[in-house]
Amino acid sequence: MAQVESTTQREIAARPEDVFDALADYSGTRGRLLPGQFSEYEVREGGDGKGTLVHWRLQATSKRVRDCLMEVDEPMEGQLVERDRNSSMVTTWTVTPGSAEGASRVTVTTEWKGAGGVGGFFERAFAPKGLARVYDELLANLAAETETETETEGRAGA
């Protein structure tokens, strides 16, 4: 079995703290960000960052559905790590300052132990691209959510 990895990155015109808070808000914002490939979303414990236990089903391809029960940790500032109790899958979200003042760079990396043989070859070849499309849509939703909030807050303070 070989390690499979998918990484997606996006620059967002919102402060890193606001972007991270939106990602870590599993009981509120996170559910609104999920694209159609996610279903049965349910927070089972916690709801805000470290200590959260959240369930969802992820259909990254037409044939593959993963039942995910994710334990959330915050090993360092600006980072969320979701470990699946049902598989070897680990997703790491990292929010750092972006290239412009008040902007953020969000990187999401998902890793898991892939299948062996011919099936594993196809998994390593195609799964990362499919998952990248899913997370690219989620990051676009995150940008829309946080950039709108930042613009609204900016106008309210003016």
Side-chain angles (χ1 to χ4, degrees):
M1 291 195 300
Q3 191 77 358
V4 183
E5 180 178 309
S6 176
T7 299
T8 307
Q9 195 172 79
R10 184 178 183 108
E11 184 98 3
I12 296 177
R15 299 179 322 157
E17 313 81 64
D18 296 336
V19 171
F20 183 83
D21 288 348
L23 280 172
D25 181 16
Y26 290 88
S27 61
T29 308
R30 181 62 85 91
R32 293 193 307 267
L33 302 177
L34 300 176
Q37 294 88 346
F38 290 84
S39 63
E40 298 181 27
Y41 182 84
E42 175 189 18
V43 175
R44 295 190 176 170
E45 293 176 17
D48 186 25
K50 184 176 182 170
T52 296
L53 182 65
V54 62
H55 171 267
W56 60 69
R57 291 177 56 85
L58 173 59
Q59 185 165 0
T61 69
S62 61
K63 295 180 182 179
R64 176 73 174 168
V65 179
R66 284 184 181 260
D67 188 64
C68 302
L69 185 58
M70 309 302 274
E71 294 178 348
V72 179
D73 193 13
E74 292 183 40
M76 58 188 278
E77 186 174 333
Q79 190 173 72
L80 290 168
V81 176
E82 302 167 344
R83 295 185 190 282
D84 188 8
R85 286 186 179 176
N86 298 331
S87 73
S88 62
M89 187 167 66
V90 177
T91 299
T92 303
W93 298 86
T94 306
V95 180
T96 56
S99 60
E101 174 97 19
S104 306
R105 178 173 305 281
V106 182
T107 304
V108 57
T109 301
T110 299
E111 302 173 311
W112 68 94
K113 290 183 181 124
V118 174
F121 170 79
F122 285 104
E123 181 180 24
R124 289 186 302 281
F126 298 108
K129 293 174 187 164
L131 194 56
R133 282 191 296 273
V134 170
Y135 281 118
D136 192 50
E137 188 175 343
L138 192 154
L139 290 174
N141 294 343
L142 175 63
E145 178 85 17
T146 56
E147 290 173 352
T148 300
E149 286 180 9
T150 301
E151 289 173 13
T152 304
E153 289 171 7
R155 282 191 297 252

